[in-house]
């Protein structure tokens, strides 16, 4: 029997000072919820889904309620989950009003023959399984949207590309995707990730969060990983799977996430530093690293009474 371990993140980026406390409270709550499930004999899969669902409901994160808006002021949420015992995975994208995208990702995994279902099809599936709906747009996201859009418009004269805009105004692009990884007492690992996607993204854009291997990966042979940051970078480097490969080849969970962030720095030098990673290996050792200013995250193990939460982990620039 192994000791259960729960690690969650609430996103990398530059967190506004007024959002730090709600963020830390939100990740602590999610870590505790997932850990209680593990302590009561629940699986790593149950724990990561419930922990992510709690952050989707929180309103402090860019996932579920509180998701970022697309350039057209729309909502396109996405999520994924992976079970390290079976290598089964489920993912959803282009969701407008599903209350808990991560739970729909689990439905795709367990109730269909597929892995990734988006848009109308995902909506139909949600209807079949009586999923709760909720308007995910919050006042705060609308305010951020207006600020971001205005900066983009002003940028006509000096900031023609969104990438430049992000580099020049990182404070407007808090990422705040959520994710969780866990190890249960039976030695099974799981990972889940959920997001509203990058602020001002083009409609139809899919990021790393629902892509198995990019934003989420879990395999009992190595461990589990959830990523946050500019999705296009995680996709190019197949980042979550890369972290698991490092663990499979003998790196500790901490070495694995650090090596992956170093890889990001080496291969994408000059791009906006935004990446954050959390991981757990199949022995229950944890890892967290980022090249962004902040990574909102929390973890809990049986030795701890309460989750430990922080706005930073190992920073590698
Ligand atoms: N990875 C997400 C995306 O690109 C953003 C984030 O991590 O906040 O959609």
């Amino acid at each position: 029997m192994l000791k259960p371990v729960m690690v969650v993140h609430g996103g990398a980026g530059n967190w506004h000072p007024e959002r730090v406390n709600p963020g830390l409270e939100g990740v602590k709550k999610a870590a505790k919820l997932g850990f209680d499930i593990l302590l009561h004999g629940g699986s790593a899969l149950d724990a990561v889904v419930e922990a992510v669902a709690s952050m989707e409901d929180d309103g402090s994160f860019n996932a579920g309620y509180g998701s970022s808006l697309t350039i057209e002021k729309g909502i396109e949420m996405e999520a994924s989950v992976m079970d390290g015992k079976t290598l089964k995975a489920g993912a959803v994208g282009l969701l407008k009003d599903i209350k808990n995208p991560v739970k729909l990702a689990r439905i795709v995994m367990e109730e269909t023959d597929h892995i990734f279902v988006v848009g109308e099809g995902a909506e139909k599936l949600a209807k079949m399984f009586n999923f709760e709906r909720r308007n995910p747009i919050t006042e705060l996201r609308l305010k951020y949207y207006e600020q971001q859009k205005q900066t983009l418009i002003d940028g006509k004269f000096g900031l023609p590309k969104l990438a430049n805009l992000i580099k020049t105004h990182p404070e407007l692009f808090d990422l705040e995707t959520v994710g969780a990884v866990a190890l249960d007492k039976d030695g099974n690992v799981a990972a889940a990730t959920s997001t509203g996607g990058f602020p001002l993204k083009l409609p139809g854009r899919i990021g790393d969060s629902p892509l198995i291997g990019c934003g989420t990966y879990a395999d009992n042979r190595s461990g589990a990983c959830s990523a946050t940051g500019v999705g296009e970078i995680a996709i190019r480097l197949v980042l979550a799977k890369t972290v698991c490969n490092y663990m499979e080849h003998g790196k500790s969970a901490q070495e694995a996430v650090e090596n992956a962030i170093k890889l990001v720095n080496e291969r994408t030098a000059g791009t906006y530093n935004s990446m954050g990673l959390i991981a757990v290996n199949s022995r229950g050792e944890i890892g967290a690293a980022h090249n962004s200013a902040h990574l909102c995250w929390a973890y809990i193990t049986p030795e701890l009474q309460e989750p430990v939460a922080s706005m930073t982990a190992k920073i590698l620039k």
Side-chain angles (χ1 to χ4, degrees):
M1 272 235 237
L2 283 158
K3 288 182 179 171
V5 176
M6 186 80 220
V7 191
V8 306
H9 72 75
N14 271 271
W15 278 67
H16 290 247
E18 80 268 17
R19 316 257 345 270
V20 167
N21 282 338
L24 290 174
E25 286 311 310
V27 288
K28 268 199 242 172
K29 188 175 155 201
K32 191 154 178 16
L33 184 82
F35 193 63
D36 283 347
I37 290 171
L38 297 172
L39 284 183
H40 289 97
S43 65
L45 183 64
D46 293 331
V48 295
V49 168
E50 292 306 322
V52 165
S54 143
M55 292 185 280
E56 287 175 339
D57 288 335
D58 192 283
S60 305
F61 303 104
N62 172 17
Y65 183 59
S67 285
S68 286
L69 303 171
T70 69
I71 190 102
E72 292 180 348
K73 225 174 179 175
I75 289 282
E76 291 186 354
M77 297 176 287
E78 47 197 43
S80 65
V81 61
M82 185 164 185
D83 178 7
K85 184 182 171 188
T86 59
L87 294 189
K88 286 187 177 163
V92 285
L94 307 181
L95 304 181
K96 294 186 184 349
D97 64 352
I98 301 298
K99 182 171 167 283
N100 290 113
V102 72
K103 293 190 181 177
L104 192 56
R106 186 174 186 169
I107 289 287
V108 172
M109 176 173 104
E110 291 179 336
E111 306 293 338
T112 79
D113 298 312
H114 310 306
I115 291 186
F116 197 5
V117 179
V118 304
E120 258 178 57
E123 295 286 339
K124 277 188 195 163
L125 201 59
K127 211 174 263 172
M128 264 189 264
F129 286 87
N130 297 319
F131 264 66
E132 262 182 86
R133 311 273 167 160
R134 177 181 202 172
N135 176 3
I137 302 179
T138 59
E139 286 301 314
L140 187 71
R141 284 301 163 194
L142 279 173
K143 187 178 101 183
Y144 285 179
Y145 172 82
E146 296 305 338
Q147 288 172 347
Q148 289 156 351
K149 188 89 183 284
Q150 193 50 49
T151 319
L152 187 64
I153 291 163
D154 295 348
K156 265 191 286 189
F157 305 107
L159 304 166
K161 284 185 159 185
L162 186 57
N164 279 342
L165 179 66
I166 295 165
K167 232 187 252 178
T168 334
H169 295 280
E171 74 288 354
L172 291 182
F173 291 88
D174 284 356
L175 298 176
E176 302 156 7
T177 284
V178 304
V181 295
L183 171 76
D184 63 29
K185 62 172 177 32
D186 299 324
N188 297 316
V189 293
T193 310
S194 179
T195 189
F198 211 86
L200 303 188
K201 67 183 178 182
L202 291 180
R205 177 264 193 188
I206 297 283
D208 60 317
S209 307
L211 297 184
I212 300 304
C214 303
T216 303
Y217 203 76
D219 181 352
N220 279 2
R221 286 191 182 179
S222 50
C225 175
S226 171
T228 170
V230 175
E232 284 68 10
I233 292 175
I235 293 171
R236 285 186 208 144
L237 293 172
V238 197
L239 213 52
K241 172 68 169 138
T242 297
V243 169
C244 289
N245 284 351
Y246 287 146
M247 293 194 285
E248 191 170 349
H249 296 128
K251 299 280 180 221
S252 70
Q254 187 57 35
E255 286 167 346
V257 289
E258 288 185 20
N259 279 9
I261 294 291
K262 281 184 202 153
L263 184 70
V264 170
N265 292 343
E266 281 165 25
R267 302 305 306 273
T268 65
T271 3
Y272 169 56
N273 283 340
S274 73
M275 231 51 233
L277 294 165
I278 56 167
V280 63
N281 68 12
S282 37
R283 292 186 300 277
E285 294 155 353
I286 68 167
H290 52 114
N291 64 6
S292 50
H294 303 121
L295 175 69
C296 179
W297 72 296
Y299 68 95
I300 178 162
T301 61
E303 291 75 35
L304 298 167
Q305 302 293 321
E306 288 297 319
V308 176
S310 176
M311 271 294 157
T312 55
K314 177 77 182 180
I315 307 175
L316 296 151
K317 291 281 185 191

